[in-house]
Amino acid sequence: MQYTCQYNSPIGDITLSSDGQYLTGIHFNGLKTISTHPAKTNYKPGTAILEETKRWLDIYFQGKNPDFTPKIKLEGTPFRIFVWEILTHIPYGHTRSYKDIAEIIVEEYHFKNMSAQAIGGTVSHNPIPIIIPCHRVIGASGKLIGYSAGLERKVKLLELEGIKTSM
């Protein structure tokens, strides 16, 4: 069974989804996303993981770094899951470039090279944005590029974390 609930954030309304034990998705309402979005809302008041996620988001949107992370469940290819896990290691208030992430992949998988565009494609399919901080990934030149929920949201998230932005 999938459970969902709504969260009203300062950057727009969000639907949270869970399998009852793990957070499985954060979806910005009104966007056409490639990720799976539950069609039916089965909100079960008090579903612990959804309540914990809302608490995490409340803390985050107050401009603070939450000291816990809701339990998440990622589904995807091993490559995508590895990239999303790399994103979880980008510290609050810091950024990494797509190129930085590509270099980690090259080192880990012993590839000859890896394109930043391949990383960008995977980052754009992140099913749990904000908590898996894909908004902290920028271009190698420091320029803000790409965010599946829109660059204006990316700017607001980075500024919330104290990161100076320039578009």
Side-chain angles (χ1 to χ4, degrees):
M1 171 82 61
Q2 280 284 353
Y3 299 97
T4 63
C5 72
Q6 298 302 305
Y7 181 82
N8 299 320
S9 85
I11 60 170
D13 292 340
I14 295 171
T15 298
L16 307 175
S17 59
S18 165
D19 64 4
Q21 282 192 297
Y22 297 94
L23 179 67
T24 57
I26 293 179
H27 313 277
F28 291 96
N29 296 355
L31 295 179
K32 290 182 180 181
T33 58
I34 299 170
S35 62
T36 305
H37 187 283
K40 193 184 224 182
T41 299
N42 295 307
Y43 180 62
K44 181 177 166 185
T47 301
I49 190 64
L50 294 176
E51 295 304 318
E52 181 180 37
T53 302
K54 289 183 347 185
R55 192 166 48 93
W56 189 99
L57 290 168
D58 286 344
I59 293 166
Y60 180 82
F61 284 117
Q62 291 171 14
K64 300 175 187 170
N65 185 13
D67 63 355
F68 67 96
T69 303
K71 294 187 307 185
I72 62 173
K73 182 178 184 181
L74 294 171
E75 292 184 3
T77 66
F79 177 79
R80 281 188 173 182
I81 291 171
F82 185 69
V83 171
W84 297 331
E85 287 175 351
I86 290 170
L87 300 180
T88 66
H89 297 289
I90 303 172
Y92 180 93
H94 294 83
T95 59
R96 297 291 181 270
S97 72
Y98 293 96
K99 181 181 176 189
D100 293 336
I101 295 168
E103 289 171 355
I104 292 169
I105 300 291
V106 165
E107 186 175 316
E108 180 69 23
Y109 282 97
H110 307 289
F111 290 159
K112 194 173 188 178
N113 58 34
M114 168 65 55
S115 77
Q117 290 81 8
I119 301 304
T122 297
V123 169
S124 72
H125 287 82
N126 174 10
I128 306 176
I130 306 173
I131 292 176
I132 296 178
C134 53
H135 62 278
R136 296 180 189 149
V137 183
I138 60 173
S141 67
K143 184 178 177 186
L144 297 183
I145 54 175
Y147 191 59
S148 61
L151 280 179
E152 47 301 320
R153 282 191 177 105
K154 184 173 191 164
V155 167
K156 288 179 182 178
L157 292 169
L158 292 172
E159 288 176 347
L160 183 69
E161 294 184 26
I163 299 169
K164 302 264 188 248
T165 61
S166 61
M167 288 181 45

